[in-house]
Amino acid sequence: QGDCMELMAASDNVVRAGFTPKFKDVSTLTSMLDYHPALPELLTGIPEGPNVRLYAPPSEQFPEFALRRCVVAAGEEASL
């Protein structure tokens, strides 16, 4: 159970392997992968209110990649 969100900036530093008509560099991508199983890091976010949690990047250098999750039940209100 859960959600997955990826936030990225426009970049030329992308290695593709499929699902695109753009250049695919499979050998570079596979050389970069780590095939050791591990548990995912589960982010819990920082509470900003009763209905809002902030998920911020580990570096304050990129605040534009912060994400706020607001969960509001029917009939409730929340402010960001």
Side-chain angles (χ1 to χ4, degrees):
Q1 177 184 356
D3 300 313
C4 180
M5 178 72 64
E6 180 180 13
L7 305 174
M8 310 176 44
S11 173
D12 291 332
N13 300 326
V14 176
V15 180
R16 297 174 187 89
F19 305 117
T20 178
K22 298 178 182 177
F23 173 72
K24 300 170 191 73
D25 193 347
V26 177
S27 62
T28 297
L29 180 64
T30 56
S31 72
M32 296 167 49
L33 296 176
D34 179 355
Y35 294 98
H36 297 93
L39 295 175
E41 177 185 355
L42 299 178
L43 305 176
T44 58
I46 301 165
E48 288 192 323
N51 303 81
V52 181
R53 296 188 83 76
L54 170 67
Y55 297 85
S59 168
E60 293 180 13
Q61 184 178 2
F62 304 105
E64 64 269 23
F65 292 110
L67 176 74
R68 284 183 174 83
R69 180 173 186 238
C70 184
V71 178
V72 182
E76 289 185 337
E77 293 182 6
S79 297
L80 296 177

